């Protein structure tokens, strides 16, 4: 199967109205923001989308809406299988596949319980592939409800199927990512979710970035991806800035992203289903995002020179 586009893929948030419905107008505006700032793709219906707090209908509708709004300008990949029973997961994944996404994303921790072996994961993976044929897949090391990192055994089993286009890596370990890239040898693309190691992993052969910080300043990550070989010294300095800026990931995500979206002219409620924004996104967090906005402007000006 053809590979998906390399580059920068934000893990898209889900905006909600004051009465806790999906804010579809804001969804469209977020997609336009990603397109305007040069994103190569979008990972919709993921943990940052609060997918564990969306209904099955909402997950399907969200994937379909992002596909429509992107209008072929960016690749769209989406997950949304959150059930425990494999039969239910198959139904969920079929519905997402029918929306027209470029790839459907399996979640590693849904394929086996924490105390189950890789053999269980691989068997469930094959069952899904058999039950959802002719569909390209990705694999996501989602941290919730527990993080299940992909072992060499699982990676090899995935590569042998020929059905996987990419992995959203969340190990945050540059050395391990380099080992994974060597093992995969181009058979499956790897996207790093971690800003601090992004540049190093690009040099080692990673194919792009898919993480929280692409919600804030995707253009800076796009610049790094496109220029790290042409301007290595500047890329190294930018990487250091992005690494420090990424510390705001701990500031009440995803409410912090929604606050930032308001600051850049995409109005939406701060309402979240996964956290209580009033409790988990306080004055100090807002201060940090205000300062991040200033830093983004400073870095953009610096890149012009």
């Amino acid at each position: 199967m053809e590979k998906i586009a390399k580059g920068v893929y934000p893990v898209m948030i889900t905006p909600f109205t004051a009465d806790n419905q999906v804010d579809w107008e804001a969804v469209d505006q977020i997609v336009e923001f990603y397109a305007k700032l040069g994103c190569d793709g979008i990972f919709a219906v993921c943990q940052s989308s609060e997918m564990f707090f969306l209904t099955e209908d909402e997950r399907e509708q969200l994937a379909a809406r992002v596909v429509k709004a992107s209008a072929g300008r960016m690749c769209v990949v989406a997950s949304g299988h959150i059930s425990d029973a494999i039969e239910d997961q198959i139904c969920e994944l079929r519905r997402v596949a029918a929306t027209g996404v470029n790839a459907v994303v399996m979640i590693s921790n849904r394929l086996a319980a924490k105390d189950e072996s890789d053999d269980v994961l691989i068997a469930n993976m094959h069952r899904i592939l058999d039950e959802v044929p002719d569909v390209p897949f990705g694999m996501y090391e989602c941290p919730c409800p527990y993080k299940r990192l992909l072992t060499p055994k699982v990676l090899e089993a995935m590569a042998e199927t020929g059905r996987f286009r990419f992995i959203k890596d969340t190990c945050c370990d540059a050395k391990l990512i380099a080992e994974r890239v060597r093992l995969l040898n181009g058979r499956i693309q790897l996207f790093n979710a971690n800003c601090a190691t992004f540049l190093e992993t690009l040099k080692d052969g990673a194919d792009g970035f898919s993480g929280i910080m692409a919600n804030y300043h995707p253009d800076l990550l796009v610049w790094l991806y496109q220029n790290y070989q042409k301007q290595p010294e500047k890329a190294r300095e930018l990487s250091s800035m992005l690494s420090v800026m990424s510390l705001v990931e701990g500031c009440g995500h995803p409410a912090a992203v929604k606050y930032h979206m308001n600051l850049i002219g995409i109005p939406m409620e701060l309402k979240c289903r996964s956290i209580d924004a009033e409790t988990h996104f306080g004055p100090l967090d807002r201060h940090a995002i205000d300062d991040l906005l200033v830093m983004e402007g400073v870095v953009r000006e610096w890149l012009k020179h």
Side-chain angles (χ1 to χ4, degrees):
M1 290 186 174
E2 295 181 1
K3 295 179 179 179
I4 64 169
K6 299 180 180 182
V8 175
Y9 285 60
V11 286
M12 185 170 179
I13 60 165
T14 302
F16 298 107
T17 61
D19 60 352
N20 203 28
Q21 302 301 307
V22 177
D23 184 341
W24 298 112
E25 183 177 348
V27 168
D28 292 343
Q29 291 186 59
I30 294 169
V31 172
E32 287 303 311
F33 166 69
Y34 293 153
K36 182 180 179 181
L37 271 68
C39 294
D40 303 278
I42 302 171
F43 186 177
V45 198
C46 56
Q47 184 175 348
S48 287
S49 312
E50 302 179 82
M51 67 179 180
F52 291 98
F53 301 86
L54 299 174
T55 67
E56 188 172 343
D57 285 344
E58 286 174 332
R59 298 195 299 274
E60 178 186 18
Q61 292 162 5
L62 183 58
R65 186 75 172 224
V66 174
V67 169
K68 181 180 180 181
S70 65
R73 294 171 293 173
M74 298 168 284
C75 283
V76 178
V77 303
S79 186
H81 74 129
I82 67 172
S83 298
D84 292 324
I86 197 71
E87 296 83 4
D88 294 333
Q89 292 181 39
I90 289 168
C91 292
E92 292 168 341
L93 293 170
R94 282 174 175 164
R95 292 185 67 174
V96 172
T99 64
V101 295
N102 296 95
V104 181
V105 187
M106 294 187 201
I107 299 174
S108 57
N109 65 41
R110 298 292 79 207
L111 301 179
K114 194 171 185 179
D115 60 349
E116 291 180 322
S117 69
D118 282 344
D119 290 333
V120 173
L121 185 155
I122 292 168
N124 284 327
M125 176 187 78
H126 281 293
R127 182 174 174 188
I128 291 173
L129 294 175
D130 290 341
E131 295 284 345
V132 191
D134 304 318
V135 172
F137 279 92
M139 186 72 81
Y140 171 26
E141 294 175 325
C142 182
C144 181
Y146 82 97
K147 182 183 283 195
R148 187 173 188 119
L149 297 181
L150 302 170
T151 65
K153 180 177 180 178
V154 173
L155 291 171
E156 188 59 44
M158 290 171 56
E160 288 175 354
T161 69
R163 295 281 301 280
F164 287 90
R165 290 187 174 182
F166 74 98
I167 293 164
K168 176 172 156 41
D169 184 296
T170 67
C171 74
C172 304
D173 182 334
K175 182 178 179 181
L176 179 56
I177 290 174
E179 293 172 358
R180 290 176 166 187
V181 169
R182 285 194 293 271
L183 185 154
L184 295 171
N185 193 28
R187 294 175 294 172
I188 304 176
Q189 296 177 154
L190 185 147
F191 290 75
N192 187 357
N194 178 251
C195 272
T197 58
F198 181 36
L199 176 59
E200 185 176 351
T201 57
L202 279 177
K203 293 177 180 178
D204 288 331
D207 298 286
F209 180 86
S210 183
I212 290 172
M213 296 311 295
N215 281 296
Y216 292 103
H217 39 250
D219 55 321
L220 303 183
L221 291 153
V222 168
W223 190 98
L224 184 62
Y225 174 74
Q226 294 178 345
N227 295 281
Y228 77 95
Q229 292 176 313
K230 294 178 284 188
Q231 301 186 55
E233 291 185 12
K234 198 155 196 171
R236 182 68 190 90
E237 293 174 347
L238 175 59
S239 175
S240 296
M241 297 176 197
L242 291 173
S243 177
V244 174
M245 292 160 73
S246 71
L247 294 176
V248 302
E249 285 185 9
C251 294
H253 181 72
V257 173
K258 297 179 181 185
Y259 178 72
H260 186 273
M261 289 287 180
N262 279 279
L263 294 179
I264 62 173
I266 304 177
M268 67 185 68
E269 300 287 333
L270 299 189
K271 188 173 186 62
C272 302
R273 293 183 185 175
S274 58
I275 65 168
D276 179 349
E278 292 186 5
T279 302
H280 294 91
F281 184 64
L284 190 58
D285 298 316
R286 292 176 184 239
H287 196 333
I289 301 304
D290 290 340
D291 286 346
L292 176 66
L293 189 68
V294 174
M295 277 299 303
E296 289 166 347
V298 170
V299 174
R300 288 184 181 112
E301 286 299 313
W302 169 76
L303 284 175
K304 294 178 182 178
H305 306 291

